Amino acid sequence: PGFGAGKTIVIGGSLPLTGAYAETGQWIEKGMLFWAAEINAKGGLLGRNVEFKIYDDQSDVSKAVTFAEKVITVDKVDLLFGGYPGTAARAVMPVAEKHKFVYVSMGGHMKSFEQGYTYSFGAPPLMGEWWYEGFFHWLATVPADKRPQRAAVYTINNPVGLSLTDSIERWTKKLNIQIVINEKYNAPLTDATAMIVKAKQSKCDILFANGFFPDGVTTMKAAKALDYNPKIIVQGVGSVVPAWVKELGKDGDYVFSGTSLSGQLKYPGNDKLNAYTKKTYNLNEYPLYFGFGYAWMQTLEQAVKGAKNLDQTKIRDWLKTNEVNTIAGPMTFDKRGLPEPINFGTQIINGKVELISPKRVQTKEPVYPKPAWKK
Amino acid sequence: MLEGKKITKRFGGLTALSDVDFEVRRSEIVGLIGPNGSGKTTLFNVISGIYAPDGGDLFFENQKITNLLPYKRARMGIGRTFQIVRPLTGLNLIENVATGVLYGRQKKIGSREARERALEILSFTGLSDRARKLPSELILEDRKRLEIARALALHPEILLLDEVFAGLNPTEISSAIELTFRIREKYGTTIFMIEHVMKAIMNTCSRIIVLNFGIKLTEGSPDEVANNPEVISAYLGAAYAKC
Amino acid sequence: MINKLYPAAMAILAVLLAAFPCIGPEVYYLSFLFSIFMYVILASSWNFIGGYAGYISFGHAAFFGIGAFATAKMATMLELPPLLTMLAAIPAGGIAALVALIVGYPCLKIRGPYFSVVTLCFAFVVDLAVKNIEFLGGAEGLWIKFMDIPEKTSRTIMYELMFLLMVITLAASWFLGRSRFGAGLTAIRSDEEVAETMAIPTAKLKIQAFVLSAFFPGVAGGLFAYYLGYIHTDAVFNINISILIVLMAMFGGGGTWLGPIIGAVILTVVNEGLSTFAQAEIARIIYGALFIVVTIFMPNGIIDFFRKKDGMT
Amino acid sequence: MLSVENITVCYGQMKALREVSLEVSTGQMVALIGANGSGKSTLINAISGLVPIAGGEITWEGQTLKGLTPDNICREGIIQVPEGRKLFPAMTVEENLIMGAYHPNVRKQAQESLQKVFSTFPRIADRRRQFAGSLSGGEQQMVALGRALMAKPRLLMLDEPSLGLSPKAAAEIFDIIRGLNKEGMTILLVSQEVMQTLAITTYGYVLENGVLALKDSCDRLLEDPKVKTSYLGL
Amino acid sequence: MDAVLIIQSLISGIMMGMVYALLGVGFSLTWGVMHVINISHGAFGLLGAYMAYSLLQYFGVDPIVSAAVSVPLLFLVACGIYQLLIRPITRAQNVVMASMILTFGLAIILENVMAIIWKADPRVLTPTYSSGALILGPFYFQYPHVVGFGLSLAGITAIYLFLKKTYTGMAVRAAWQQPEAARLYGVNLYWISMITFALAVSTAGAGGICLALLNSFEPHSHNLWLINLFLVVIVGGVGNVIGTALAGLIIGVITGLSMAFLPFLWVNLVTFGLLMIFLIFRPHGIFKQEGI
Ligand SMILES: Nc1ncnc2c1ncn2[C@@H]1O[C@H](COP(=O)(O)OP(=O)(O)OP(=O)(O)O)[C@@H](O)[C@H]1O
Ligand SMILES: Nc1ncnc2c1ncn2[C@@H]1O[C@H](COP(=O)(O)OP(=O)(O)OP(=O)(O)O)[C@@H](O)[C@H]1O
Ligand SMILES: [Mg+2]
Ligand SMILES: [Mg+2]
């Protein structure tokens, strides 16, 4: 409790701090805590200090639901924070709806925003459907005769993976790229040899590896070992986490992907976050999920300030009608609780995640085609 | 009542039983002897249904039982003991026997009644004072008695006894022989027994079947068998012939 | 004396638990007890096959998940009104039982650790199959419409239903432990071959126990689907659930009535409590240490430990 | 060379042996008889160190065996052929025998001993590559004996070596035991075949419910009325 | 279907299978010999992987070289753990169950200790050769696979020879089949159990290093490893070293072939389905006979 009991604003919820999603959960937690420290230093929210009540749901969806109910009904927190992964968010969104609590998170992908919930917001969301927009916009600028012609698409069979394929199918048609291989796989992917051999034999010159970090690593290793050199390798959400560059080094270079947040964006706040993560974690740029944690809190902060009190319905209504400004840029929300599609194309160049598209945010000219593996 | 025709059982390359014919008639006590590894226990396993024979047929009360599951045979009245005792570990003696009673051949009864019946059987086999002990706390002889008690719980028509006399000294053997006769008296059970203890075999059996290398060597009254030169050379040994 | 008091105490406890929502507790407490009931059901029904018959199934989450998906599918496909959907959990349990019947037939011929692994594989097969079948929502999962009644009322209904299911499961478990059926299963655990020669129809009993042990988790899965509102294969077919069920039952004492109850309650409460009071990793470490300490001091389960102290058999 | 003085052994509450004493001197073959459960195996196991003794003392060549574990006692040359043979079923006959010479003291002579065992028991020499579990009872007993010989016993304790054997096989085993004793082996023999046992041993002890009931030379034991009624069934 | 694809995916399937076999032998041994089902086996493997990771990261020591340090270190750790935790439960009525519960707890502890030390971020073991390949005609033998395969083969052979040819190894087998008789012939059960356990854990470490060359790992990865090695052990027959190796090959072939012939979506499903059917028809693993 801060000064004056009951004065503190408590924000509660659960994150996967241990188990399968521990890494991500912990980054989100760090982002949120950074926000709290910052706002408390500035005199708090509505003049009150903020404090977190974070439970570890052990990467278990049903625990996430129970803890959401706990913070709402027992801990009687003032605000709810968003969870991870998408499946947990999908399950918590109805709880938030029933208890009429604003729930700002990455959301559980497009489908969960189409269930008619009114209290859930993705701010910014992590939408598979949008993930490759930036990349494709750039690809469209490549002259047609220089574009890759044949695509191999390997997709992890989970909600994120499935939502990634939508835009691939739409865009490849538009850009006249033939999808030669289009396959899904169930995690865990322990060996990608057969995938790479198939892609190589089918002369695919663009590879979409729509997976997470472990699958991404496995496919990259196999691609290098089997000396498979497509013009483009696109990776799912795995390649924008800090571990990618850190662990794969040179081998992770030239991979395209997308992001909805980046420390290199010129929106206010990004420099500060970068400086903090540089100092604390020795990272050149704040990690994606650190940013998510921070941005969700930013959104909540502005909504509370806008509504001027902690009435959840007022906060929701404020969000529905006003613009918020976050490190991911300005956003206004539609009926579903989603902003306009946000996406930036990325490529890893010399061990750094560079923004390549749209032009206005470009930090580096993309390297195309991808240089052959050095043996 | 129990008849086997050309029973054959193979384990991989080894023929444990080959074309064995035998018959046990009601109220008889029949012995089964033979050198170690001659297939005696295997024959019991075939009769009780633990192994399916590779050839031949079994009949019980003139019904073919060759392909019946073991529990069906037990229901028909074939009870057995195991050479290497196999009590239901973790259950005390009453529970061991009561389980047998519950699934036995008498009309369905409640568990209380089953325990009473179990106690009766235990006292008949001389175990009543140890009724609440666990099998692991018993000495071998008592465990063998427990095997018999559990088989009796079924109220069998025929009882297959596999070396229940092993490890007993001559005096104890006498009391075990007496128990064998009492079982037949009280339960009217026919008995088919495997035994290496000649004293027991000679004194109880009306007929003895001799197996050697899975083949039936001979069959006859105890005297005939004991004086059969083939049996002496394969099984009894020269020393036995002398005395 | 103690034997007389025992059922009476149980009855009082049951009435108190049933009446608990009347004092108007917060929704969370209902949910928390709901999950305890659920694990008691899972562990106790696992106990039928795993505890009594000694067939350690490592795939019981499969039945739980089948129940959940069957209920959710029925609810969305038939567009049942929410309250009726809950009843759909019963046929869903039936489906789980049917699946158990089909896989039990070949699997129950295998004994010991091999059975455990076959059931483990079975759970993976079911999980992956559901992920691959669009009809069941595939990798996307399924949403269930929620009831148009106040949250507290709907949680109370679910609480009472799960409680009822638990009472039924425990009653079944109680009678099973004292019945001819239970005696037969215990004999099977001890020595199946001997059990056969005691006229116990082992194959039949095992199948019956397996089917029964799949039915209750199936129904519980149906209620759970409703509780969650959105179900995904990762949430219900999780291997950790299968393992947790086994551990709960054995931790308390397999093959007894009370053991799985104690195991389920202790582990659920401790886990929840630790998440509340300790830092995440430390909480997990303490939780892990609990298993170690209990096993070292009570290697045969908690029940066995106290039974020895009381000197009862 | 072995002397057991007033030892008591308990299994939980139950006293399996009460103040039992026994002596075996070099080159002797001593019989230990008694009813089922009278504690014969317990006594042998106590000497081997498998069960702890609650009171009394066992001395071996003047030194106490107190506190020694079975492997240390084995090093002293006190070797037991356990009841029920207890072979290593999934190891070959040869490996079973080699295991007999596990102890470092005798390991070096293992090959030599192996040849000797095979020449004593030619029947198992033919089966040296077969798994011990697939042998017949008589052969298993030979392997068990052979395994004990591999350990170069100075005192050989045999617990019911003829159990479950056909009369012929049992007689063979007794012949072998007598032969070993003739070669100078000190032997403590437990058996239910009271007549045969007392016929080949020189001195005998009789256990009854964990208490030593009688001890005498075998000739006299054979005449003893109590032995006659209780153990010979006469 | 063309031959290159089939053979290429067979090659990598088999090589992976062998790595799981190396992880599995130790698990199989403790189970067979001591009736201890070590749920934390995979976690120990992961510990080996993390140790190799740190040694590579901070001292630039190649994982194969550093195994010479980390494997013996794990051996010592395992001796301590045996002494403290495993030994007390060997007197339980049901050692199998008790050991499972205890080592489940141990696995949770190890996982979270690793999470504290090395953080939850995924790691990749990337020595210089990590994504190179030996090219023979149209076939690529990826170095991590080759190294893992070689190390596994060496490890399994060493364990086999140890069990078959050395006195200590024979004592391990003897102690497992007939503990009482083993004691009577001079085997110190306590020592043998400790050695078995420690040996098992150190092979897990070696296996973990091999696996880490192939896939990325995180503190919870051991769960996945455990499931795979569990399958290998069961298919091979508990306690059977040769069986475990063969099972590794078989599972490798199954995965390899299904990768080549089936849509990837069905690979895991078919693999588990086939294993289930295999076990139903051959419930005691590849060999009927007990052996090593
Ligand atoms: N399950 C089995 N698998 C393989 N071989 C077996 C099996 N059971 C028995 N045998 C073999 O069959 C033969 C006959 O064994 P069986 O147990 O019937 O002998 P037995 O006459 O009862 O001998 P004993 O008097 O020693 O008990 C033996 O060679 C034995 O090794
Ligand atoms: N491990 C044990 N735990 C408890 N009691 C035991 C144990 N082993 C033996 N006993 C008891 O100790 C007593 C002596 O048993 P022991 O095995 O020494 O007798 P024995 O003379 O060798 O009999 P047998 O002729 O059956 O071999 C018996 O009453 C037996 O029940
Ligand atoms: Mg036999
Ligand atoms: Mg004895």
Side-chain angles (χ1 to χ4, degrees):
Chain A
F3 24 92
K7 282 288 186 186
T8 332
I9 292 179
V10 182
I11 310 175
S14 76
L15 285 172
L17 299 177
T18 59
Y21 304 108
E23 185 220 356
T24 315
Q26 291 183 6
W27 277 122
I28 295 175
E29 183 188 30
K30 285 174 187 144
M32 297 192 318
L33 292 176
F34 176 69
W35 168 83
E38 192 187 62
I39 195 162
N40 286 340
K42 281 195 294 193
L45 188 57
L46 299 180
R48 293 157 67 181
N49 261 9
V50 298
E51 183 183 290
F52 278 108
K53 182 103 200 153
I54 304 173
Y55 291 101
D56 169 27
D57 59 41
Q58 297 162 20
S59 304
D60 176 345
V61 173
S62 73
K63 283 212 168 63
V65 169
T66 321
F67 281 129
E69 291 186 335
K70 183 172 190 181
V71 293
I72 295 171
T73 65
V74 176
D75 298 327
K76 308 232 187 277
V77 296
D78 303 295
L79 297 165
L80 195 59
F81 66 75
Y84 184 87
T87 44
R90 282 178 177 201
V92 173
M93 280 159 80
V95 176
E97 189 69 18
K98 282 180 272 189
H99 290 276
K100 302 198 171 17
F101 258 71
V102 170
Y103 184 67
V104 179
S105 71
M106 61 177 266
H109 330 297
M110 195 65 83
K111 286 214 168 64
S112 56
F113 285 96
E114 287 162 355
Q115 303 293 317
Y117 306 134
T118 58
Y119 282 86
S120 293
F121 296 88
L126 193 160
M127 285 290 133
E129 287 81 354
W130 304 343
W131 196 252
Y132 293 144
E133 287 300 307
F135 161 74
F136 277 118
H137 276 294
W138 164 77
L139 190 59
T141 65
V142 175
D145 59 324
K146 294 229 173 90
R147 272 183 221 144
Q149 304 298 316
R150 298 162 63 81
V153 183
Y154 295 117
T155 308
I156 189 169
N157 187 33
N158 68 17
V160 185
L162 297 178
S163 59
L164 289 169
T165 52
D166 285 1
S167 61
I168 295 178
E169 275 158 25
R170 192 158 32 85
W171 276 97
T172 45
K173 195 177 276 166
K174 201 149 118 191
L175 298 180
N176 238 334
I177 297 172
Q178 185 196 352
I179 298 184
V180 183
I181 301 172
N182 191 2
E183 286 207 48
K184 286 183 276 183
Y185 61 87
N186 282 306
L189 177 70
T190 48
D191 182 25
T193 308
M195 289 182 174
I196 297 299
V197 172
K198 275 189 188 173
K200 194 175 171 185
Q201 288 184 342
S202 314
K203 305 225 170 348
C204 292
D205 48 6
I206 174 165
L207 170 72
F208 289 93
N210 302 326
F212 288 169
F213 182 87
D215 340 11
V217 169
T218 308
T219 43
M220 291 307 283
K221 283 189 149 197
K224 180 172 182 194
L226 297 167
D227 201 23
Y228 170 51
N229 287 300
K231 287 184 176 144
I232 292 177
I233 296 181
V234 185
Q235 285 279 350
V237 288
S239 66
V240 281
V241 298
W244 184 271
V245 168
K246 181 156 171 264
E247 303 298 322
L248 279 178
K250 279 236 134 334
D251 292 353
D253 266 353
Y254 313 119
V255 162
F256 288 93
S257 188
T259 187
S260 34
L261 278 172
S262 165
Q264 301 175 56
L265 292 168
K266 294 289 169 256
Y267 302 119
N270 280 315
D271 293 343
K272 183 178 58 190
L273 260 61
N274 286 339
Y276 174 74
T277 47
K278 177 79 198 169
K279 197 179 80 203
T280 324
Y281 309 110
N282 194 26
L283 296 167
N284 289 324
E285 188 185 333
Y286 64 79
L288 178 66
Y289 289 100
F290 182 92
F292 272 123
Y294 184 83
W296 299 336
M297 287 304 118
Q298 266 188 316
T299 308
L300 213 48
E301 173 191 336
Q302 289 169 35
V304 169
K305 278 184 182 155
K308 295 200 181 59
N309 62 31
L310 292 167
D311 184 297
Q312 297 290 329
T313 313
K314 291 223 174 87
I315 298 173
R316 175 193 68 174
D317 294 342
W318 188 90
L319 276 174
K320 292 265 173 195
T321 46
N322 291 282
E323 188 185 73
V324 294
N325 281 291
T326 68
I327 49 170
M331 285 175 238
T332 50
F333 299 97
D334 61 13
K335 266 201 6 231
R336 299 172 298 180
L338 289 178
E340 285 291 299
I342 304 176
N343 189 263
F344 309 100
T346 63
Q347 187 181 27
I348 301 189
I349 301 170
N350 292 329
K352 189 155 178 275
V353 182
E354 303 285 358
L355 300 178
I356 53 149
S357 151
K359 262 276 187 265
R360 64 184 160 86
V361 299
Q362 199 178 59
T363 53
K364 238 193 187 127
E365 200 51 45
V367 178
Y368 175 82
K370 176 186 175 313
W373 300 106
K374 286 204 189 61
K375 279 282 144 182
Chain B
M1 72 192 300
L2 179 70
E3 199 183 354
K5 285 187 182 149
K6 293 201 174 304
I7 302 286
T8 301
K9 176 72 199 168
R10 280 182 282 269
F11 293 111
L14 177 111
T15 307
L17 291 173
S18 72
D19 292 336
V20 175
D21 290 311
F22 68 91
E23 195 192 348
V24 181
R25 289 179 281 269
R26 187 169 282 281
S27 305
E28 261 190 319
I29 297 183
V30 178
L32 179 62
I33 63 172
N36 295 104
S38 57
K40 305 181 295 295
T41 302
T42 306
L43 183 61
F44 271 22
N45 283 336
V46 169
I47 296 173
S48 58
I50 296 207
Y51 296 151
D54 294 307
D57 274 315
L58 275 171
F59 297 90
F60 183 66
E61 316 255 37
N62 297 323
Q63 238 182 306
K64 189 170 142 183
I65 59 165
T66 322
N67 300 316
L68 284 189
L69 286 172
Y71 81 92
K72 290 219 170 113
R73 301 184 199 203
R75 271 213 188 137
M76 292 173 79
I78 304 179
R80 72 165 291 178
T81 67
F82 285 87
Q83 175 174 6
I84 298 161
V85 289
R86 289 163 80 171
L88 303 177
T89 46
L91 298 184
N92 67 27
L93 302 200
I94 300 186
E95 290 162 338
N96 256 281
V97 179
T99 306
V101 174
L102 280 171
Y103 281 91
R105 305 176 59 239
Q106 287 173 323
K107 64 173 177 20
K108 280 201 177 147
I109 52 172
S111 35
R112 177 161 311 186
E113 218 177 318
R115 291 174 79 88
E116 276 162 22
R117 284 268 301 127
L119 258 176
E120 246 170 67
I121 295 169
L122 284 172
S123 68
F124 175 76
T125 47
L127 291 169
S128 51
D129 53 331
R130 272 144 288 187
R132 276 168 212 289
K133 284 197 171 178
L134 291 174
S136 55
E137 295 166 332
L138 297 184
I139 57 167
L140 187 71
E141 188 199 2
D142 289 342
R143 287 193 221 179
K144 295 216 159 178
R145 282 172 186 271
L146 174 61
E147 284 282 316
I148 297 177
R150 202 181 52 203
L152 286 178
L154 187 68
H155 219 284
E157 298 286 330
I158 183 169
L159 190 55
L160 311 175
L161 299 176
D162 196 348
E163 294 201 28
V164 286
F165 294 89
L168 305 189
N169 72 35
T171 306
E172 291 164 334
I173 286 170
S174 305
S175 80
I177 290 175
E178 187 241 349
L179 176 66
T180 317
F181 284 119
R182 274 199 296 135
I183 291 173
R184 184 169 66 166
E185 239 164 74
K186 178 150 186 220
Y187 293 87
T189 312
T190 310
I191 290 172
F192 192 16
M193 60 197 252
I194 297 178
E195 207 46 73
H196 284 307
V197 179
M198 278 305 110
K199 181 179 158 194
I201 283 276
M202 294 298 166
N203 289 325
T204 48
C205 299
S206 53
R207 202 150 53 83
I208 296 174
I209 299 169
V210 188
L211 282 181
N212 192 23
F213 292 111
I215 298 165
K216 190 161 100 176
L217 194 66
T218 183
E219 181 183 337
S221 71
D223 277 346
E224 283 164 15
V225 167
N227 295 318
N228 183 321
E230 274 184 290
V231 177
I232 291 173
S233 80
Y235 180 68
L236 295 171
Y240 196 88
K242 265 180 251 152
C243 62
Chain C
M1 188 63 189
I2 284 174
N3 281 342
K4 287 250 167 58
L5 278 177
Y6 194 54
M10 284 292 155
I12 292 173
L13 188 63
V15 171
L16 285 180
L17 281 173
F20 177 65
C22 299
I23 64 168
E26 294 298 348
V27 167
Y28 164 73
Y29 293 112
L30 294 177
S31 295
F32 180 50
L33 282 170
F34 175 90
S35 69
I36 292 183
F37 297 160
M38 186 178 90
Y39 276 111
V40 170
I41 293 167
L42 293 180
S44 290
S45 16
W46 177 88
N47 197 35
F48 296 158
I49 188 74
Y52 287 108
Y55 275 71
I56 311 286
S57 156
F58 267 142
H60 249 56
F63 302 118
F64 177 66
I66 288 172
F69 268 91
T71 306
K73 191 64 211 176
M74 279 190 263
T76 47
M77 202 170 56
L78 308 175
E79 301 196 354
L80 295 173
L83 272 174
L84 268 183
T85 321
M86 296 228 201
L87 292 182
I90 297 170
I95 293 174
L98 186 69
V99 173
L101 184 69
I102 295 164
V103 296
Y105 183 72
C107 290
L108 285 163
K109 288 187 177 150
I110 308 166
R111 294 177 197 171
Y114 302 96
F115 174 78
S116 306
V117 173
V118 169
T119 48
L120 183 75
C121 287
F122 162 70
F124 283 124
V125 167
V126 174
D127 176 17
L128 291 164
V130 173
K131 274 201 178 94
N132 289 0
I133 298 172
E134 295 283 325
F135 174 71
L136 291 175
E140 286 285 357
L142 289 171
W143 276 270
I144 303 183
K145 276 215 191 66
F146 46 83
M147 284 176 267
D148 233 356
I149 45 179
E151 177 63 0
K152 218 168 212 172
T153 320
S154 80
R155 284 298 195 236
T156 304
I157 294 172
M158 269 177 246
Y159 171 95
E160 294 293 355
L161 284 178
M162 195 57 106
F163 178 71
L164 185 68
L165 182 63
M166 180 180 79
V167 170
I168 294 171
T169 312
L170 292 183
S173 176
W174 174 271
F175 285 113
L176 191 130
R178 273 145 200 81
S179 68
R180 180 166 175 260
F181 183 41
L185 291 179
T186 310
I188 290 174
R189 174 180 67 200
S190 179
D191 190 326
E192 200 165 332
E193 229 165 61
V194 169
E196 276 273 327
T197 66
M198 291 167 76
I200 299 174
T202 55
K204 199 172 97 193
L205 292 194
K206 283 188 296 182
I207 281 278
Q208 286 171 347
F210 195 53
V211 167
L212 202 63
S213 82
F215 174 73
F216 295 111
V219 181
L223 295 177
F224 180 72
Y226 225 88
Y227 167 78
L228 225 48
Y230 163 74
I231 54 162
H232 187 260
T233 53
D234 291 351
V236 288
F237 289 118
N238 198 332
I239 163 85
N240 290 330
I241 299 179
S242 293
I243 292 178
L244 195 60
I245 296 171
V246 181
L247 290 175
M248 282 173 169
M250 301 313 286
F251 186 83
T256 60
W257 181 74
L258 200 55
I261 306 177
I262 291 183
V265 171
I266 291 185
L267 290 183
T268 319
V269 171
V270 167
N271 195 8
E272 189 88 357
L274 282 172
S275 303
T276 312
F277 297 114
Q279 189 262 334
E281 277 116 3
I282 304 294
R284 300 299 292 156
I285 290 174
I286 297 171
Y287 184 65
L290 172 75
F291 285 98
I292 293 181
V293 171
V294 168
T295 324
I296 288 181
F297 292 103
M298 312 172 187
N300 305 317
I302 295 173
I303 282 284
D304 190 81
F305 181 75
F306 285 103
R307 192 185 277 169
K308 280 231 180 77
K309 274 205 159 164
D310 290 357
M312 324 187 282
T313 38
Chain D
M1 69 180 156
L2 176 85
S3 98
V4 175
E5 285 155 37
N6 296 323
I7 66 160
T8 302
V9 173
C10 301
Y11 292 115
Q13 305 285 0
M14 192 199 77
K15 277 192 178 148
L17 288 179
R18 249 168 297 166
E19 308 202 343
V20 173
S21 302
L22 174 148
E23 298 267 343
V24 185
S25 46
T26 314
Q28 219 185 1
M29 174 141 72
V30 172
L32 178 61
I33 60 177
N36 258 295
S38 57
K40 307 180 297 293
S41 303
T42 306
L43 178 55
I44 288 205
N45 286 341
I47 298 172
S48 281
L50 282 177
V51 296
I53 52 178
E57 183 137 56
I58 302 175
T59 48
W60 169 249
E61 297 182 330
Q63 303 228 319
T64 176
L65 294 181
K66 202 170 230 155
L68 292 189
T69 50
D71 47 308
N72 288 322
I73 290 172
C74 159
R75 190 203 312 244
E76 298 295 325
I78 304 177
I79 303 297
Q80 175 187 159
V81 179
E83 191 172 2
R85 311 188 258 277
K86 301 220 162 98
L87 295 183
F88 308 118
M91 287 166 81
T92 63
V93 168
E94 191 169 327
E95 286 173 334
N96 263 279
L97 293 174
I98 298 270
M99 269 313 291
Y102 176 78
H103 217 278
N105 290 357
V106 293
R107 229 180 249 185
K108 282 190 203 75
Q109 296 110 298
Q111 284 309 319
E112 240 171 82
S113 315
L114 194 64
Q115 294 319 316
K116 217 163 127 198
V117 168
F118 281 147
S119 63
T120 322
F121 305 104
R123 257 171 76 185
I124 58 175
D126 306 339
R127 297 167 189 262
R128 57 170 76 191
R129 306 239 173 276
Q130 198 172 330
F131 279 124
S134 66
L135 296 176
S136 87
E139 289 157 355
Q140 286 197 7
Q141 190 60 54
M142 288 181 194
V143 176
L145 251 176
R147 181 176 65 180
L149 295 179
M150 294 289 293
K152 300 219 178 277
R154 295 169 57 211
L155 168 66
L156 183 62
M157 303 189 290
L158 300 153
D159 197 350
E160 310 214 15
S162 62
L163 184 73
L165 295 191
S166 72
K168 188 181 166 193
E172 279 174 24
I173 289 287
F174 274 106
D175 278 346
I176 291 166
I177 294 169
R178 189 159 40 185
L180 286 172
N181 179 240
K182 283 233 175 77
E183 286 169 23
M185 180 91 63
T186 315
I187 293 175
L188 177 60
L189 175 59
V190 172
S191 179
Q192 295 282 22
E193 312 253 357
V194 181
M195 189 74 103
Q196 272 158 300
T197 309
L198 291 181
I200 61 169
T201 50
T202 51
Y203 201 83
Y205 292 83
V206 179
L207 271 181
E208 237 167 47
N209 289 325
V211 180
L212 198 62
L214 275 175
K215 56 173 186 179
D216 213 331
S217 76
C218 291
D219 312 337
R220 262 178 290 173
L221 279 181
L222 275 169
E223 296 305 314
D224 190 285
K226 192 167 169 197
V227 173
K228 273 187 171 170
T229 54
S230 310
Y231 301 104
L232 296 173
L234 297 174
Chain E
M1 278 306 129
D2 73 316
V4 174
L5 172 61
I6 295 167
I7 293 173
Q8 191 70 67
S9 60
L10 270 179
I11 291 172
S12 54
I14 287 173
M15 290 186 167
M16 295 252 348
M18 275 314 275
V19 173
Y20 280 113
L22 175 60
L23 257 174
V25 278
F27 185 78
S28 188
L29 269 189
T30 43
W31 185 350
V33 177
M34 301 153 65
H35 303 285
V36 167
I37 296 191
N38 185 3
I39 303 286
S40 61
H41 195 79
F44 279 111
L46 197 54
L47 194 57
Y50 271 116
M51 278 155 58
Y53 177 85
S54 286
L55 288 168
L56 178 66
Q57 199 76 8
Y58 299 112
F59 303 103
V61 192
D62 185 274
I64 304 171
V65 180
S66 73
V69 180
S70 50
V71 171
L73 201 62
L74 274 177
F75 192 92
L76 291 181
V77 170
C79 286
I81 286 182
Y82 175 80
Q83 179 75 340
L84 277 174
L85 306 180
I86 309 292
R87 201 178 170 199
I89 58 153
T90 42
R91 268 165 289 132
Q93 275 166 17
N94 188 344
V95 179
V96 171
M97 220 53 232
S99 67
M100 268 174 60
I101 299 178
L102 184 131
T103 53
F104 177 79
L106 186 57
I108 296 181
I109 295 181
L110 283 173
E111 174 181 329
N112 287 283
V113 167
M114 289 187 282
I116 290 174
I117 300 178
W118 283 282
K119 303 285 172 277
D121 312 29
R123 307 283 174 180
V124 184
L125 203 50
T126 42
T128 44
Y129 48 83
S130 74
S131 41
L134 181 74
I135 304 166
L136 292 178
F139 305 120
Y140 288 74
F141 292 81
Q142 303 169 41
Y143 285 135
H145 283 166
V146 175
V147 168
F149 183 78
L151 219 56
S152 302
L153 211 57
I156 290 170
T157 314
I159 294 251
Y160 178 78
L161 291 178
F162 165 74
L163 288 175
K164 189 77 191 166
K165 299 287 179 206
T166 69
Y167 266 97
T168 317
M170 275 212 284
V172 169
R173 290 157 61 208
W176 141 31
Q177 296 168 28
Q178 197 49 267
E180 196 159 290
R183 294 180 76 190
L184 285 174
Y185 290 95
V187 175
N188 185 330
L189 275 193
Y190 162 52
W191 266 106
I192 288 296
S193 304
M194 185 155 97
I195 287 175
T196 311
F197 186 76
L199 199 67
V201 165
S202 30
T203 54
I209 295 173
C210 295
L211 210 50
L213 287 170
L214 304 175
N215 297 123
S216 68
F217 52 98
E218 295 165 48
H220 70 96
S221 303
H222 68 97
N223 293 309
L224 181 71
W225 294 7
L226 187 72
I227 288 160
N228 284 316
L229 73 90
F230 205 48
L231 289 173
V232 174
V233 167
I234 291 293
V235 172
V238 175
N240 196 322
V241 175
I242 297 290
T244 308
L246 271 180
L249 292 181
I250 288 179
I251 291 180
V253 169
I254 294 179
T255 352
L257 288 181
S258 43
M259 281 276 196
F261 285 103
L262 293 170
F264 293 126
L265 191 56
W266 296 93
V267 168
N268 290 354
L269 181 59
V270 168
T271 312
F272 282 119
L274 281 178
L275 281 173
M276 198 175 151
I277 292 166
F278 175 92
L279 285 171
I280 286 170
F281 286 103
R282 231 170 183 328
H284 294 283
I286 302 170
F287 300 111
K288 269 216 179 104
Q289 189 88 49
E290 270 190 51
I292 50 165

